Amino acid sequence: MFGEVLTAMVTPFKEDLSVDYARAQELASYLINNGSDGVVVSGTTGESPTLSDDEKVNLYKVVKEVVGGKGSVIAGTGYNSTKESIDLTKKAESIGVDGCMLVTPYYNKPPQKGLYNHFKMVAESTSLPVILYNVPGRTARNLEADTVIALSEVPNIVGVKEASGNFEQIAKIKSKTPEDFFLYSGEDSATYPVLALGGCGVISVASHLVGKEIKKMVSCLKNGNYKESLKIHLRLLPLFDVLFLTTNPIMVKAGVKLKGIDVGGLRPPMIDADDEQISKLKKIMEKLEVL
């Protein structure tokens, strides 16, 4: 429905840290032309916690304008408030995006029944296809396999981005959800094992830099060329690791700038990569011939 490789796109900022919508269009076009089947706008990598609703809606609009029918545009519309998530999802739908992604409510740590109710209520408020996003390292709450399995019965909840690192949980989700329920890796370093467990692809950070290689890795595995897919995965692993040397999206923004697309700084409380971190990233990018 959305593609195999979706990029969790960074949000470009101007010098004054206002959103650079023109550069967002430039970046989205670049990604679609370099291995990405679609983009996720205003997710964690897009610094969603420090974007206003108006900024998010404008980003959905300008990215959809430039991507058009060349790729999918998924709107990050998750909040830890069900009402706010519903309101933003409705605005995203009015823009004409292709789907929405809902992160597990963070900080308030609802129980699994509360998570089920939250996602179901948001999904029922829209006709958009919904991807769940489980990233307990950031939200402090794991979306358990049984909850995902139950939510997969909601007609327009079509998949999950899994970033728990729990492969037993991931395998259970795959084994007990419908055949057409999309299981995306939410971590670049876990893409190969998630694909091996039946995943459909990855919602990637590293695809900002090596989108074509990641696309080839996914395609090789799906075509039965496991040896070549693993070879690509292992080759890219140092890049996957260095991009998470510190909190995402600090390193990937530095990497995109090294590639020649100036996406600006980060909004506080995030900070720019330091010289040592940039040096480590640059060495790996040079070794991979990414620069």
Side-chain angles (χ1 to χ4, degrees):
M1 180 180 291
F2 303 122
E4 298 170 335
V5 178
L6 306 179
T7 297
M9 196 177 92
V10 301
T11 298
F13 295 126
K14 298 178 182 178
E15 192 171 344
D16 64 358
L17 294 182
S18 61
V19 176
D20 191 334
Y21 296 105
R23 189 56 51 83
Q25 289 187 314
E26 178 186 340
L27 177 60
S29 295
Y30 171 83
L31 294 171
I32 295 298
N33 291 326
N34 284 274
S36 296
D37 300 307
V39 292
V40 177
V41 181
S42 85
T44 310
T45 308
E47 298 179 65
S48 57
T50 55
L51 294 175
S52 70
D53 276 8
D54 285 345
E55 288 172 328
K56 291 176 183 180
V57 171
N58 286 333
L59 277 167
Y60 306 151
K61 183 177 180 181
V62 299
V63 171
K64 182 62 181 176
E65 283 175 358
V66 73
V67 170
K70 294 179 289 186
S72 55
V73 177
I74 311 301
T77 60
Y79 272 109
N80 59 349
S81 160
T82 304
K83 182 183 182 302
E84 288 186 70
S85 193
I86 288 172
D87 290 345
L88 184 57
T89 301
K90 288 180 176 179
K91 291 175 183 177
E93 182 173 5
S94 71
I95 296 296
V97 298
D98 301 290
C100 66
M101 189 174 74
L102 306 176
V103 69
T104 304
Y106 41 86
Y107 186 72
N108 43 20
K109 297 180 72 172
Q112 294 301 306
K113 180 63 176 177
L115 295 178
Y116 175 85
N117 290 339
H118 168 82
F119 289 119
K120 187 170 184 286
M121 289 172 68
V122 179
E124 288 177 343
S125 75
T126 182
S127 63
L128 288 174
V130 173
I131 300 174
L132 310 173
Y133 178 21
N134 184 35
V135 56
R138 282 187 180 261
T139 65
R141 175 63 80 213
N142 180 44
L143 182 62
E144 295 175 5
D146 287 340
T147 309
V148 175
I149 292 161
L151 286 164
S152 72
E153 297 176 6
V154 177
N156 62 324
I157 296 182
V158 299
V160 61
K161 175 184 177 183
E162 243 294 344
S164 67
N166 184 335
F167 293 107
E168 182 178 353
Q169 172 169 296
I170 292 167
K172 184 176 181 181
I173 290 170
K174 181 59 186 175
S175 67
K176 295 194 176 183
T177 52
E179 186 76 19
D180 59 355
F181 188 76
F182 301 109
L183 172 61
Y184 284 100
S185 172
E187 300 175 292
D188 283 296
S189 60
T191 301
Y192 184 89
V194 170
L195 289 170
L197 288 171
C200 68
V202 58
I203 298 178
S204 171
V205 173
S207 51
H208 283 90
L209 311 178
V210 287
K212 290 180 178 178
E213 292 90 337
I214 292 173
K215 180 68 173 178
K216 184 178 179 182
M217 179 181 72
V218 174
S219 298
C220 282
L221 191 145
K222 289 193 172 184
N223 291 327
N225 192 347
Y226 303 106
K227 187 175 181 179
E228 180 63 21
S229 181
L230 180 58
K231 181 180 177 181
I232 297 169
H233 175 76
L234 294 177
R235 179 173 175 269
L236 296 179
L237 203 53
L239 178 64
F240 298 160
D241 289 342
V242 77
L243 287 177
F244 288 85
L245 185 63
T246 185
T247 308
N248 184 51
I250 292 172
M251 296 303 292
V252 71
K253 271 202 158 178
V256 173
K257 285 192 269 190
L258 287 172
K259 287 280 283 184
I261 302 176
D262 187 359
V263 290
L266 295 98
R267 284 182 173 175
M270 302 296 276
I271 58 173
D272 292 326
D274 62 34
D275 290 342
E276 183 180 354
Q277 292 166 339
I278 293 171
S279 177
K280 289 179 180 179
L281 175 60
K282 187 176 180 181
K283 285 179 182 177
I284 291 172
M285 290 175 69
E286 288 174 341
K287 186 175 181 181
L288 292 174
E289 299 179 342
V290 174
L291 292 179

